[in-house]
Amino acid sequence: MIIAEIGSVHDGDIKKALNLVKSASRSGADVIKFQMHIADEETLVDAPSPSYFNKEKRFDYFKRTAFSLLEWKKIKKLCENLGKEFLCSPFSEKAVDYLETLKVKKYKVPSGELTNISLLEKLKKTKKHIILSTGMSSWDEIDVAVNTLKKNYSILQCSSIYPCPNEKVGINVIHQLKKKYKCPVGFSDHTLGYSAAFAAASNGATIIEKHFTLSRNMYGSDAKNSMEPKEFLFFVKNIKEIWKIMDNPVDKNNLKEYKDMKKVFEKSVVASKDLKLNSILTKKDIAFKKPGTGIKAINYKSLIGKKLNKNVKKNDLLKKKDFYEN
């Protein structure tokens, strides 16, 4: 599952939101994700803004960019018409109520809400799959969240740093999460590049989330740390190729596909010079040349010391029938 996180780059404009959905769909996302902010339900008026976005008060920003229920229905319907799943992060219990009326299939819990146990308890009652992001939580806090949900959840490794430097990505945590919780594990990518997500996909992450924007010049808290459409298309293509590779282990003893190649590229044991009947073969009497249709070079030692039962010319492929049986 590859999630295009639209976040709030739509800036409260329904037309932009719909265009973002279309673009994310064209760019290969499996799931298109939004955030449902209801300012009065989730934040105090004087709550601080994050350091990376302080052009507008947080409360005012959420108030201004919120969609009506009718607009949310339009967004969800477009996602479904394009064959994509609509996903949304609720930042309040009222948001869960609204999303339930939209009949969403699953929920995403953002990193800042993982410790909001009351919200998790409400989400659990929906009996829908929950994706937990762990960007700013300790193991003890994750334990409490998991013990609250009990079942039907996935967990994402995430580092709540915008942008996240490569040395803070924490690919090691993916393995720890899988081992500890025995559930599907993914990665929410806040880096500016591709490498972190590619590494995550190569290390067992089966869900990848990446912020998406039409342009990094768009207004808002997410745009400058998001991926543009052409980049996202490349991003999706390569992650799905990585998953295909990871899902198809190779048996090195199954050489069926290399049968013809082995004949062309491997070497056989040949006579290095003309050899007479009853000659006892030494290492100096043989050479190794293509094609690989005779006695394989790997088996040459089995011929040393054997006696020829015929004359052999230089460069003849040696065969088992050319020797007396011991």
Side-chain angles (χ1 to χ4, degrees):
M1 181 193 297
I2 298 179
I3 302 171
E5 164 67 286
I6 305 299
S8 299
V9 293
H10 51 73
D11 201 34
D13 185 327
I14 185 63
K15 289 183 179 179
K16 283 182 182 176
L18 297 176
N19 283 334
L20 281 157
V21 169
K22 292 173 187 174
S23 185
S25 176
R26 288 193 298 268
S27 297
D30 302 306
V31 177
I32 301 173
K33 181 184 166 297
F34 287 81
Q35 299 173 5
M36 185 175 284
H37 293 285
I38 305 171
D40 294 312
E41 297 290 330
E42 68 177 81
T43 185
L44 297 177
V45 174
D46 58 353
S49 297
S51 59
Y52 55 85
F53 182 71
N54 51 23
K55 295 179 181 179
E56 190 174 356
K57 285 187 178 180
R58 200 77 165 149
F59 183 90
D60 295 340
Y61 181 59
F62 291 153
K63 196 88 170 173
R64 183 179 62 79
T65 59
F67 289 129
S68 68
L69 196 54
L70 180 61
E71 288 172 323
W72 280 119
K73 287 179 180 178
K74 288 180 180 179
I75 292 168
K76 181 173 181 284
K77 185 177 181 180
L78 178 59
C79 290
E80 292 168 346
N81 288 344
L82 294 171
K84 308 297 177 179
E85 183 177 343
F86 169 82
L87 182 65
C88 192
S89 292
F91 284 76
S92 65
E93 293 183 36
K94 178 67 73 67
V96 177
D97 292 334
Y98 286 172
L99 290 169
E100 278 296 285
T101 66
L102 294 175
K103 298 181 179 178
V104 295
K105 294 180 179 178
K106 61 175 66 78
Y107 286 95
K108 164 74 190 304
V109 175
S111 296
E113 299 295 329
L114 182 141
T115 56
N116 186 350
I117 299 305
S118 180
L119 177 67
L120 297 187
E121 289 170 341
K122 187 175 183 74
L123 289 172
K124 181 185 176 183
K125 290 177 183 177
T126 69
K127 298 183 179 180
K128 292 174 182 175
H129 191 86
I130 311 297
I131 302 173
L132 283 172
S133 205
T134 62
M136 56 184 81
S137 297
S138 67
W139 285 111
D140 285 345
E141 290 170 334
I142 299 169
D143 281 344
V144 173
V146 165
N147 288 333
T148 300
L149 295 176
K150 301 293 185 186
K151 60 181 180 179
N152 203 20
Y153 60 85
S154 304
I155 303 180
L156 305 187
Q157 160 54 9
C158 174
S159 299
S160 295
I161 308 169
Y162 301 89
C164 179
N166 287 333
E167 60 270 23
K168 298 290 185 179
V169 165
I171 295 298
N172 61 298
V173 180
I174 292 172
H175 298 283
Q176 294 168 345
L177 288 167
K178 289 180 74 174
K179 184 176 180 180
K180 186 174 176 66
Y181 300 113
K182 306 292 190 297
C183 70
V185 172
F187 176 63
S188 183
D189 185 8
H190 293 156
T191 68
L192 295 180
Y194 304 96
S195 301
F198 293 173
S202 302
N203 280 273
T206 55
I207 304 167
I208 303 288
E209 180 184 56
K210 187 80 168 178
H211 280 267
F212 181 89
T213 184
L214 297 176
S215 167
R216 276 188 284 275
N217 293 321
M218 292 177 76
Y219 181 79
S221 60
D222 299 323
K224 69 178 182 179
N225 297 313
S226 300
M227 192 168 269
E228 295 180 351
K230 286 184 180 179
E231 298 168 322
F232 200 87
L233 190 64
F234 176 85
F235 180 78
V236 170
K237 176 180 179 293
N238 282 272
I239 288 173
K240 293 199 171 179
E241 286 180 356
I242 290 168
W243 277 335
K244 189 171 185 179
I245 291 166
M246 299 302 294
D247 288 342
N248 289 278
V250 169
D251 178 3
K252 288 298 285 182
N253 284 323
N254 183 359
L255 303 178
K256 193 183 300 182
E257 292 184 50
Y258 308 117
K259 187 175 180 181
D260 292 335
M261 296 291 281
K262 288 172 79 68
K263 291 176 183 177
V264 172
F265 288 98
E266 290 188 347
K267 290 180 177 174
S268 300
V269 183
V270 302
S272 62
K273 57 188 177 183
D274 290 346
L275 298 173
K276 294 182 179 179
L277 171 69
N278 292 327
S279 295
I280 296 176
L281 211 67
T282 68
K283 178 72 182 295
K284 291 181 181 180
D285 296 328
I286 60 174
F288 307 97
K289 297 185 180 181
K290 296 182 182 74
T293 54
I295 295 172
K296 295 180 179 296
I298 197 172
N299 295 322
Y300 88 89
K301 290 182 180 179
S302 66
L303 301 180
I304 303 302
K306 287 188 174 290
K307 185 185 290 188
L308 285 167
N309 60 23
K310 59 182 284 190
N311 292 326
V312 175
K313 292 184 178 181
K314 181 179 179 179
N315 285 331
D316 277 355
L317 287 168
L318 294 176
K319 303 177 181 64
K320 289 183 180 179
K321 66 181 182 181
D322 296 338
F323 300 91
Y324 292 110
E325 292 184 12
N326 290 339

